[in-house]
Amino acid sequence: MRRVVITGMGIVSPLGLGLDHNWQAIIAGKSGLRTIAGFDASDLPSRVAGEVPRAAEGQPARPGEFDVNAYIEHKEQKKMDDFIHFGYAAAVDAVADSGWVAVSEDDKCRTGVLIGSGIGGLRNIQDTSIMMEEKGPRRISPFFIPSSLINLISGQVSIRFGFKGPNHSVVTACATGTHAIGDAARLIAFDDADVMIAGGAEAAICRAGVGGFAACRALSTGFNDTPEKASRPFDKGRDGFVIGEGAGVVVLEEYEHAKKRGAKIYAEVVGYGLSGDAYHVTSPAEDGDGGFRAMQAAIKRAGITAADIGYVNAHGTSTPLGDDIELGAIKRLFGDDIGKTSVSSTKSAIGHLLGAAGAAEAIYSAMALHTGILPPTLNLDDPSEVCEGVDMVPHKAKQKDITYAMSNSFGFGGTNACLIFKKAS
Protein backbone atom coordinates (compact mmCIF):
# COMPACT_ATOMS: atom_id res chain seq x y z
CA MET A 1 0.00 0.00 0.00
CA ARG A 2 0.99 3.62 -0.49
CA ARG A 3 2.91 5.42 2.26
CA VAL A 4 1.24 8.30 4.12
CA VAL A 5 3.01 11.24 5.77
CA ILE A 6 2.05 14.35 7.73
CA THR A 7 3.01 17.55 5.94
CA GLY A 8 0.97 20.18 7.81
CA MET A 9 -0.56 20.66 11.27
CA GLY A 10 -2.92 23.16 12.87
CA ILE A 11 -4.22 23.27 16.43
CA VAL A 12 -6.54 25.30 18.64
CA SER A 13 -6.45 24.25 22.30
CA PRO A 14 -6.81 25.58 25.85
CA LEU A 15 -3.12 26.48 25.56
CA GLY A 16 -3.94 28.73 22.63
CA LEU A 17 -3.90 29.00 18.87
CA GLY A 18 -1.13 27.74 16.62
CA LEU A 19 1.27 24.83 16.38
CA ASP A 20 4.41 26.60 17.61
CA HIS A 21 2.56 28.37 20.43
CA ASN A 22 1.01 25.10 21.60
CA TRP A 23 4.21 23.11 21.42
CA GLN A 24 6.28 25.65 23.31
CA ALA A 25 3.60 25.89 26.00
CA ILE A 26 3.15 22.16 26.49
CA ILE A 27 6.86 21.32 26.69
CA ALA A 28 7.27 24.20 29.16
CA GLY A 29 4.76 22.48 31.44
CA LYS A 30 2.09 25.16 31.20
CA SER A 31 -1.55 24.42 31.93
CA GLY A 32 -4.54 25.66 29.95
CA LEU A 33 -7.08 24.78 32.66
CA ARG A 34 -9.00 27.54 34.42
CA THR A 35 -12.22 28.26 36.28
CA ILE A 36 -15.06 28.29 33.75
CA ALA A 37 -15.54 31.83 32.46
CA GLY A 38 -17.83 31.38 29.46
CA PHE A 39 -21.02 31.00 31.51
CA ASP A 40 -22.22 30.85 35.10
CA ALA A 41 -21.17 27.45 36.43
CA SER A 42 -21.63 28.27 40.12
CA ASP A 43 -24.38 25.68 40.58
CA LEU A 44 -22.50 22.87 38.83
CA PRO A 45 -20.38 20.32 40.73
CA SER A 46 -17.47 20.79 38.30
CA ARG A 47 -16.43 24.37 37.60
CA VAL A 48 -13.10 23.76 35.83
CA ALA A 49 -12.51 23.55 32.09
CA GLY A 50 -9.98 23.99 29.32
CA GLU A 51 -11.51 26.91 27.42
CA VAL A 52 -9.80 28.24 24.31
CA PRO A 53 -8.31 31.69 25.10
CA ARG A 54 -10.05 34.23 22.88
CA ALA A 55 -9.24 37.77 21.81
CA ALA A 56 -11.33 40.42 23.53
CA GLU A 57 -14.08 41.91 21.38
CA GLY A 58 -12.73 44.77 19.31
CA GLN A 59 -9.15 44.20 20.48
CA PRO A 60 -6.26 42.73 18.48
CA ALA A 61 -5.45 39.17 19.40
CA ARG A 62 -2.45 38.64 21.62
CA PRO A 63 -0.10 35.70 20.88
CA GLY A 64 -2.03 32.46 21.22
CA GLU A 65 -5.47 34.06 21.41
CA PHE A 66 -8.13 32.80 19.05
CA ASP A 67 -9.85 35.43 16.90
CA VAL A 68 -12.49 33.91 14.66
CA ASN A 69 -12.55 37.11 12.59
CA ALA A 70 -9.09 36.24 11.28
CA TYR A 71 -10.52 33.11 9.65
CA ILE A 72 -14.21 33.61 8.90
CA GLU A 73 -16.15 36.63 7.67
CA HIS A 74 -18.52 38.03 10.27
CA LYS A 75 -21.68 37.30 8.27
CA GLU A 76 -20.62 33.66 7.89
CA GLN A 77 -19.78 33.09 11.55
CA LYS A 78 -23.42 32.80 12.66
CA LYS A 79 -23.87 29.96 10.20
CA MET A 80 -21.44 27.82 12.22
CA ASP A 81 -21.24 26.62 15.80
CA ASP A 82 -18.00 27.16 17.70
CA PHE A 83 -16.80 23.61 17.02
CA ILE A 84 -16.85 24.44 13.31
CA HIS A 85 -15.00 27.71 13.98
CA PHE A 86 -12.25 25.76 15.76
CA GLY A 87 -12.02 23.00 13.16
CA TYR A 88 -12.07 25.49 10.28
CA ALA A 89 -9.27 27.58 11.79
CA ALA A 90 -7.11 24.53 12.54
CA ALA A 91 -7.64 23.30 8.98
CA VAL A 92 -6.72 26.66 7.46
CA ASP A 93 -3.53 26.73 9.53
CA ALA A 94 -2.69 23.12 8.68
CA VAL A 95 -3.10 23.69 4.95
CA ALA A 96 -0.97 26.84 5.14
CA ASP A 97 1.67 24.94 7.11
CA SER A 98 1.75 22.20 4.48
CA GLY A 99 2.19 24.58 1.58
CA TRP A 100 -0.26 22.49 -0.48
CA VAL A 101 -2.20 24.44 -3.09
CA ALA A 102 -4.64 22.48 -5.25
CA VAL A 103 -4.54 24.40 -8.52
CA SER A 104 -5.76 21.98 -11.16
CA GLU A 105 -9.13 20.26 -11.21
CA ASP A 106 -7.35 16.93 -10.74
CA ASP A 107 -5.53 18.29 -7.67
CA LYS A 108 -8.85 19.38 -6.18
CA CYS A 109 -10.51 16.05 -6.91
CA ARG A 110 -7.59 14.18 -5.33
CA THR A 111 -7.73 16.25 -2.11
CA GLY A 112 -10.34 15.37 0.50
CA VAL A 113 -11.47 16.36 3.99
CA LEU A 114 -12.26 14.12 6.96
CA ILE A 115 -12.82 16.07 10.17
CA GLY A 116 -15.10 14.79 12.92
CA SER A 117 -16.52 15.71 16.31
CA GLY A 118 -17.74 13.71 19.24
CA ILE A 119 -20.79 15.84 20.01
CA GLY A 120 -21.02 18.67 17.47
CA GLY A 121 -23.05 21.83 18.02
CA LEU A 122 -24.17 21.16 21.57
CA ARG A 123 -24.16 24.78 22.68
CA ASN A 124 -26.18 25.79 19.63
CA ILE A 125 -28.68 22.99 20.27
CA GLN A 126 -28.94 24.02 23.92
CA ASP A 127 -29.48 27.72 23.18
CA THR A 128 -31.90 27.10 20.32
CA SER A 129 -33.99 24.74 22.43
CA ILE A 130 -34.28 27.34 25.18
CA MET A 131 -35.15 30.09 22.70
CA MET A 132 -37.82 27.97 21.01
CA GLU A 133 -39.48 27.26 24.34
CA GLU A 134 -39.42 30.92 25.31
CA LYS A 135 -40.16 32.61 21.96
CA GLY A 136 -41.55 29.93 19.67
CA PRO A 137 -40.35 28.07 16.57
CA ARG A 138 -40.52 31.09 14.27
CA ARG A 139 -37.37 32.43 15.93
CA ILE A 140 -35.25 29.43 14.93
CA SER A 141 -32.41 30.37 12.60
CA PRO A 142 -32.45 28.76 9.15
CA PHE A 143 -28.79 27.97 9.83
CA PHE A 144 -29.52 26.05 13.04
CA ILE A 145 -29.25 22.57 11.51
CA PRO A 146 -26.22 23.13 9.22
CA SER A 147 -24.41 24.99 12.01
CA SER A 148 -24.83 22.01 14.34
CA LEU A 149 -24.16 19.04 12.06
CA ILE A 150 -20.82 17.34 12.67
CA ASN A 151 -19.94 16.74 9.01
CA LEU A 152 -20.29 20.45 8.26
CA ILE A 153 -16.71 21.02 9.43
CA SER A 154 -15.57 18.92 6.49
CA GLY A 155 -18.14 20.61 4.30
CA GLN A 156 -17.09 24.13 5.21
CA VAL A 157 -13.38 23.34 4.80
CA SER A 158 -13.95 21.72 1.42
CA ILE A 159 -15.90 24.78 0.27
CA ARG A 160 -13.19 27.13 1.54
CA PHE A 161 -10.47 25.43 -0.54
CA GLY A 162 -12.45 23.83 -3.34
CA PHE A 163 -11.36 20.33 -2.29
CA LYS A 164 -13.55 17.85 -4.19
CA GLY A 165 -12.10 14.55 -3.03
CA PRO A 166 -13.59 12.32 -0.29
CA ASN A 167 -15.79 14.46 1.98
CA HIS A 168 -16.33 12.47 5.13
CA SER A 169 -16.69 12.70 8.89
CA VAL A 170 -16.23 10.51 11.95
CA VAL A 171 -18.30 10.40 15.17
CA THR A 172 -16.83 8.00 17.72
CA ALA A 173 -16.98 10.00 20.95
CA CYS A 174 -13.50 10.56 22.40
CA ALA A 175 -11.82 8.38 19.77
CA THR A 176 -13.07 10.60 16.92
CA GLY A 177 -9.85 12.49 16.16
CA THR A 178 -7.77 9.32 16.06
CA HIS A 179 -10.28 7.46 13.91
CA ALA A 180 -10.48 10.44 11.54
CA ILE A 181 -6.72 10.49 10.96
CA GLY A 182 -6.50 6.71 10.67
CA ASP A 183 -9.42 6.47 8.25
CA ALA A 184 -8.10 9.36 6.16
CA ALA A 185 -4.68 7.73 5.99
CA ARG A 186 -6.32 4.58 4.65
CA LEU A 187 -8.10 6.56 1.94
CA ILE A 188 -4.68 7.71 0.73
CA ALA A 189 -3.10 4.28 1.17
CA PHE A 190 -5.86 2.73 -0.97
CA ASP A 191 -5.46 5.44 -3.64
CA ASP A 192 -8.81 7.18 -3.10
CA ALA A 193 -6.97 10.47 -2.58
CA ASP A 194 -3.47 11.93 -2.61
CA VAL A 195 -4.05 14.50 0.14
CA MET A 196 -6.50 14.45 3.07
CA ILE A 197 -7.23 17.17 5.62
CA ALA A 198 -8.06 15.20 8.77
CA GLY A 199 -8.74 15.66 12.47
CA GLY A 200 -11.34 16.52 15.08
CA ALA A 201 -13.00 19.50 16.73
CA GLU A 202 -15.15 20.08 19.81
CA ALA A 203 -16.87 22.92 21.67
CA ALA A 204 -19.06 21.32 24.32
CA ILE A 205 -18.20 23.57 27.27
CA CYS A 206 -21.72 24.80 28.00
CA ARG A 207 -24.24 24.16 30.77
CA ALA A 208 -25.65 21.11 28.99
CA GLY A 209 -22.20 19.68 28.31
CA VAL A 210 -20.67 20.21 31.73
CA GLY A 211 -23.91 19.33 33.51
CA GLY A 212 -24.30 16.17 31.43
CA PHE A 213 -20.81 14.85 32.03
CA ALA A 214 -21.08 15.78 35.70
CA ALA A 215 -24.28 13.74 35.91
CA CYS A 216 -22.26 10.78 34.57
CA ARG A 217 -19.83 11.39 37.44
CA ALA A 218 -17.06 11.63 34.87
CA LEU A 219 -15.71 15.11 35.72
CA SER A 220 -13.26 16.29 38.35
CA THR A 221 -15.05 18.02 41.23
CA GLY A 222 -12.38 18.20 43.93
CA PHE A 223 -10.14 20.89 42.43
CA ASN A 224 -12.54 23.76 41.71
CA ASP A 225 -10.33 26.12 43.69
CA THR A 226 -7.11 24.93 42.05
CA PRO A 227 -8.09 24.32 38.42
CA GLU A 228 -4.56 23.80 37.10
CA LYS A 229 -4.26 20.76 39.38
CA ALA A 230 -7.58 19.19 38.36
CA SER A 231 -6.32 17.04 35.47
CA ARG A 232 -3.87 14.59 37.00
CA PRO A 233 -3.65 11.42 34.90
CA PHE A 234 -2.24 8.35 36.65
CA ASP A 235 -2.01 10.20 39.98
CA LYS A 236 -3.67 8.61 43.01
CA GLY A 237 -5.50 11.87 43.71
CA ARG A 238 -7.30 12.00 40.35
CA ASP A 239 -11.08 12.25 40.53
CA GLY A 240 -12.29 12.67 36.94
CA PHE A 241 -11.47 14.39 33.68
CA VAL A 242 -11.52 18.10 32.91
CA ILE A 243 -13.58 19.03 29.86
CA GLY A 244 -11.72 20.93 27.16
CA GLU A 245 -12.42 22.38 23.73
CA GLY A 246 -10.54 23.07 20.51
CA ALA A 247 -9.44 21.31 17.35
CA GLY A 248 -6.52 19.47 15.82
CA VAL A 249 -6.12 19.03 12.07
CA VAL A 250 -3.32 17.47 10.04
CA VAL A 251 -2.58 17.37 6.34
CA LEU A 252 -1.94 13.79 5.28
CA GLU A 253 -0.21 13.19 1.98
CA GLU A 254 0.99 10.28 -0.11
CA TYR A 255 4.74 10.08 0.38
CA GLU A 256 5.83 10.37 -3.26
CA HIS A 257 3.36 13.21 -3.81
CA ALA A 258 4.84 15.11 -0.85
CA LYS A 259 8.41 14.31 -1.87
CA LYS A 260 7.84 15.46 -5.46
CA ARG A 261 6.74 18.92 -4.37
CA GLY A 262 9.46 19.24 -1.74
CA ALA A 263 7.11 19.33 1.24
CA LYS A 264 8.45 19.17 4.78
CA ILE A 265 7.48 15.94 6.51
CA TYR A 266 6.78 15.83 10.24
CA ALA A 267 6.22 12.08 10.53
CA GLU A 268 4.87 9.05 8.71
CA VAL A 269 1.63 7.29 9.66
CA VAL A 270 2.62 3.63 9.74
CA GLY A 271 0.12 1.95 12.07
CA TYR A 272 -3.60 2.17 12.75
CA GLY A 273 -5.62 -0.20 14.91
CA LEU A 274 -9.21 -0.13 16.11
CA SER A 275 -11.42 -2.35 18.21
CA GLY A 276 -14.56 -2.54 20.34
CA ASP A 277 -15.00 -3.54 23.98
CA ALA A 278 -18.59 -4.83 23.67
CA TYR A 279 -18.79 -4.25 27.41
CA HIS A 280 -20.40 -1.01 28.70
CA VAL A 281 -21.59 2.34 27.35
CA THR A 282 -19.24 4.48 29.46
CA SER A 283 -16.74 2.20 31.25
CA PRO A 284 -13.84 0.39 29.58
CA ALA A 285 -13.57 -3.38 29.93
CA GLU A 286 -11.86 -4.09 33.24
CA ASP A 287 -9.12 -6.20 31.66
CA GLY A 288 -8.28 -3.47 29.11
CA ASP A 289 -8.46 -6.02 26.33
CA GLY A 290 -10.14 -3.65 23.86
CA GLY A 291 -7.38 -1.07 24.12
CA PHE A 292 -4.77 -3.81 24.05
CA ARG A 293 -6.15 -5.26 20.80
CA ALA A 294 -6.28 -1.81 19.16
CA MET A 295 -2.61 -1.23 20.05
CA GLN A 296 -1.71 -4.73 18.94
CA ALA A 297 -3.42 -4.20 15.58
CA ALA A 298 -1.59 -0.91 15.05
CA ILE A 299 1.75 -2.56 15.77
CA LYS A 300 0.94 -5.37 13.32
CA ARG A 301 0.06 -2.87 10.61
CA ALA A 302 3.28 -0.92 11.29
CA GLY A 303 5.34 -4.09 10.97
CA ILE A 304 7.26 -3.44 14.17
CA THR A 305 7.37 -4.69 17.76
CA ALA A 306 6.38 -2.87 20.93
CA ALA A 307 10.06 -2.57 21.82
CA ASP A 308 10.50 -0.23 18.85
CA ILE A 309 8.09 2.36 20.28
CA GLY A 310 9.91 5.06 22.24
CA TYR A 311 6.90 7.12 23.33
CA VAL A 312 3.22 6.55 24.05
CA ASN A 313 0.82 9.48 24.26
CA ALA A 314 -1.74 7.81 26.49
CA HIS A 315 -5.48 8.42 26.42
CA GLY A 316 -4.96 9.11 30.14
CA THR A 317 -8.07 11.12 30.96
CA SER A 318 -7.54 11.37 34.75
CA THR A 319 -10.45 9.09 35.64
CA PRO A 320 -9.92 6.74 38.60
CA LEU A 321 -10.84 3.61 36.60
CA GLY A 322 -9.70 4.31 33.05
CA ASP A 323 -6.09 5.34 33.67
CA ASP A 324 -5.07 2.16 35.47
CA ILE A 325 -6.85 -0.01 32.91
CA GLU A 326 -5.06 1.68 30.02
CA LEU A 327 -1.62 1.56 31.62
CA GLY A 328 -2.19 -2.09 32.52
CA ALA A 329 -2.92 -2.78 28.84
CA ILE A 330 0.22 -0.89 27.80
CA LYS A 331 2.34 -2.91 30.23
CA ARG A 332 0.77 -6.10 28.92
CA LEU A 333 1.62 -5.05 25.36
CA PHE A 334 5.24 -4.15 26.09
CA GLY A 335 5.96 -6.92 28.58
CA ASP A 336 9.62 -6.97 29.59
CA ASP A 337 10.28 -4.11 27.16
CA ILE A 338 8.19 -1.59 29.12
CA GLY A 339 11.37 0.06 30.36
CA LYS A 340 12.29 1.04 26.79
CA THR A 341 9.35 3.37 26.30
CA SER A 342 8.05 6.57 27.90
CA VAL A 343 4.39 7.29 28.57
CA SER A 344 2.71 10.65 29.19
CA SER A 345 -0.72 12.22 29.05
CA THR A 346 -0.98 15.69 27.53
CA LYS A 347 -4.54 15.89 28.88
CA SER A 348 -2.82 16.93 32.11
CA ALA A 349 -2.19 20.29 30.42
CA ILE A 350 -5.21 20.80 28.17
CA GLY A 351 -7.91 18.60 29.66
CA HIS A 352 -10.03 16.23 27.59
CA LEU A 353 -10.96 17.71 24.21
CA LEU A 354 -13.42 14.85 23.59
CA GLY A 355 -13.76 14.44 19.80
CA ALA A 356 -10.72 16.67 19.22
CA ALA A 357 -8.51 14.91 21.77
CA GLY A 358 -7.06 12.24 19.51
CA ALA A 359 -6.17 14.76 16.80
CA ALA A 360 -4.46 17.14 19.22
CA GLU A 361 -2.56 14.24 20.77
CA ALA A 362 -1.54 12.94 17.34
CA ILE A 363 -0.04 16.37 16.70
CA TYR A 364 1.85 16.31 20.00
CA SER A 365 3.09 12.79 19.18
CA ALA A 366 4.29 13.87 15.73
CA MET A 367 6.05 16.84 17.30
CA ALA A 368 7.76 14.55 19.81
CA LEU A 369 9.21 12.61 16.88
CA HIS A 370 10.06 15.79 14.97
CA THR A 371 11.81 17.56 17.85
CA GLY A 372 13.07 14.74 20.07
CA ILE A 373 11.25 16.23 23.08
CA LEU A 374 8.57 14.34 25.02
CA PRO A 375 5.74 16.38 26.59
CA PRO A 376 5.26 15.82 30.33
CA THR A 377 2.50 14.44 32.52
CA LEU A 378 1.63 17.33 34.83
CA ASN A 379 0.40 16.90 38.42
CA LEU A 380 1.82 13.38 38.75
CA ASP A 381 2.69 13.92 42.40
CA ASP A 382 1.73 10.50 43.77
CA PRO A 383 1.73 7.93 40.94
CA SER A 384 -0.73 5.07 40.98
CA GLU A 385 0.82 1.67 41.76
CA VAL A 386 0.43 0.57 38.13
CA CYS A 387 2.97 3.25 37.14
CA GLU A 388 5.78 1.28 38.77
CA GLY A 389 8.50 0.46 36.28
CA VAL A 390 7.22 2.94 33.66
CA ASP A 391 8.76 6.28 32.69
CA MET A 392 5.71 8.55 32.98
CA VAL A 393 7.63 11.77 32.12
CA PRO A 394 6.44 13.47 35.32
CA HIS A 395 6.23 17.27 35.60
CA LYS A 396 8.92 18.17 33.05
CA ALA A 397 9.49 17.47 29.37
CA LYS A 398 12.47 15.30 28.53
CA GLN A 399 14.72 14.89 25.54
CA LYS A 400 14.66 11.48 23.92
CA ASP A 401 15.53 10.47 20.39
CA ILE A 402 12.70 8.20 19.28
CA THR A 403 11.84 6.49 16.00
CA TYR A 404 8.23 5.47 16.69
CA ALA A 405 5.45 7.06 18.76
CA MET A 406 2.02 5.67 19.62
CA SER A 407 -1.16 7.63 20.40
CA ASN A 408 -4.22 6.06 22.05
CA SER A 409 -7.87 7.14 22.15
CA PHE A 410 -10.82 5.36 23.74
CA GLY A 411 -14.45 6.48 23.69
CA PHE A 412 -17.90 5.88 25.16
CA GLY A 413 -19.54 2.81 23.69
CA GLY A 414 -16.30 0.86 23.96
CA THR A 415 -14.66 2.26 20.83
CA ASN A 416 -10.86 2.14 20.74
CA ALA A 417 -8.31 3.54 18.29
CA CYS A 418 -4.53 3.65 18.11
CA LEU A 419 -2.10 5.37 15.74
CA ILE A 420 1.62 4.76 15.30
CA PHE A 421 3.87 7.38 13.76
CA LYS A 422 7.43 6.99 12.47
CA LYS A 423 10.11 9.64 12.48
CA ALA A 424 10.53 11.27 9.08
CA SER A 425 13.45 9.89 7.10
Side-chain angles (χ1 to χ4, degrees), residues 68 72-85 88 121 124 141-149 152-153 156 159:
V68 67
I72 306 170
E73 291 183 11
H74 184 72
K75 67 178 182 178
E76 298 295 320
Q77 292 171 21
K78 294 183 178 180
K79 300 177 183 179
M80 312 175 197
D81 186 87
D82 282 354
F83 82 101
I84 300 180
H85 292 170
Y88 189 103
N124 198 21
S141 167
F143 303 111
F144 165 56
I145 296 299
S147 69
S148 304
L149 291 175
L152 261 291
I153 313 177
Q156 292 284 7
I159 292 168

Side-chain angles (χ1 to χ4, degrees), residues 35 45 47-48 220-232 235 237-240 242 318:
T35 299
R47 299 186 289 279
V48 179
S220 171
T221 59
F223 297 87
N224 288 324
D225 295 329
T226 53
E228 293 183 359
K229 297 182 180 296
S231 184
R232 41 196 323 109
D235 187 81
R238 65 190 186 274
D239 70 339
V242 176
S318 189

Side-chain angles (χ1 to χ4, degrees), residues 238-279:
R238 65 190 186 274
D239 70 339
F241 76 78
V242 176
I243 189 171
E245 64 182 3
V249 175
V250 299
V251 175
L252 301 176
E253 194 166 346
E254 192 273 323
Y255 174 72
E256 295 297 337
H257 186 278
K259 188 176 177 181
K260 183 178 179 179
R261 69 181 187 88
K264 68 176 177 296
I265 296 174
Y266 287 104
E268 182 175 357
V269 182
V270 293
Y272 175 42
L274 53 170
S275 71
D277 284 352
Y279 175 73

Side-chain angles (χ1 to χ4, degrees), residues 72 79-92 112-121 145-161 163 166-171 176 180 197-203 246-249 355-356:
I72 306 170
K79 300 177 183 179
M80 312 175 197
D81 186 87
D82 282 354
F83 82 101
I84 300 180
H85 292 170
F86 294 152
Y88 189 103
V92 169
V113 188
L114 204 169
I115 304 172
S117 179
I119 299 177
I145 296 299
S147 69
S148 304
L149 291 175
I150 287 171
N151 73 297
L152 261 291
I153 313 177
S154 293
Q156 292 284 7
V157 171
S158 70
I159 292 168
R160 164 68 173 77
F161 291 101
F163 296 151
N167 188 308
H168 195 15
S169 194
V170 172
V171 185
T176 295
I197 318 304
E202 204 76 85
V249 175

Side-chain angles (χ1 to χ4, degrees), residues 86-367:
F86 294 152
Y88 189 103
V92 169
D93 284 356
V95 172
D97 184 43
S98 74
W100 170 238
V101 179
V103 177
S104 70
E105 187 67 11
D106 186 58
D107 285 343
K108 293 176 181 178
C109 291
R110 296 289 295 175
T111 303
V113 188
L114 204 169
I115 304 172
S117 179
I119 299 177
L122 184 60
R123 182 180 300 168
N124 198 21
I125 294 170
Q126 167 196 275
D127 294 347
T128 300
S129 298
I130 293 170
M131 185 193 66
M132 186 172 70
E133 286 298 307
E134 293 178 346
K135 299 181 180 180
R138 290 182 179 273
R139 296 296 298 275
I140 297 177
S141 167
F143 303 111
F144 165 56
I145 296 299
S147 69
S148 304
L149 291 175
I150 287 171
N151 73 297
L152 261 291
I153 313 177
S154 293
Q156 292 284 7
V157 171
S158 70
I159 292 168
R160 164 68 173 77
F161 291 101
F163 296 151
K164 298 180 179 180
N167 188 308
H168 195 15
S169 194
V170 172
V171 185
T172 49
C174 304
T176 295
T178 300
H179 276 134
I181 294 172
D183 290 352
R186 284 187 172 178
L187 287 173
I188 295 173
F190 285 112
D191 200 21
D192 291 309
D194 293 324
V195 181
M196 289 294 298
I197 318 304
E202 204 76 85
I205 303 177
C206 59
R207 286 184 62 79
V210 177
F213 279 114
C216 292
R217 298 185 179 180
L219 298 181
S220 171
T221 59
F223 297 87
N224 288 324
D225 295 329
T226 53
E228 293 183 359
K229 297 182 180 296
S231 184
R232 41 196 323 109
F234 307 108
D235 187 81
K236 289 180 181 177
R238 65 190 186 274
D239 70 339
F241 76 78
V242 176
I243 189 171
E245 64 182 3
V249 175
V250 299
V251 175
L252 301 176
E253 194 166 346
E254 192 273 323
Y255 174 72
E256 295 297 337
H257 186 278
K259 188 176 177 181
K260 183 178 179 179
R261 69 181 187 88
K264 68 176 177 296
I265 296 174
Y266 287 104
E268 182 175 357
V269 182
V270 293
Y272 175 42
L274 53 170
S275 71
D277 284 352
Y279 175 73
H280 191 271
V281 293
T282 58
S283 298
E286 293 178 0
D287 60 2
D289 190 61
F292 172 82
R293 287 184 289 106
M295 290 185 283
Q296 191 177 50
I299 285 176
K300 180 180 179 181
R301 175 61 62 188
I304 60 174
T305 67
D308 295 315
I309 298 170
Y311 172 62
V312 179
N313 189 296
H315 183 59
T317 60
S318 189
T319 56
L321 187 64
D323 288 7
D324 282 1
I325 290 175
E326 179 186 9
L327 192 53
I330 291 171
K331 294 178 78 171
R332 175 187 169 193
L333 182 79
F334 280 83
D336 293 339
D337 293 316
I338 190 64
K340 297 180 180 180
T341 195
S342 299
V343 180
S344 74
S345 172
T346 45
K347 288 185 179 73
S348 59
I350 62 174
H352 192 353
L353 273 56
L354 309 176
E361 290 155 15
I363 288 171
Y364 292 142
S365 298
M367 286 299 289

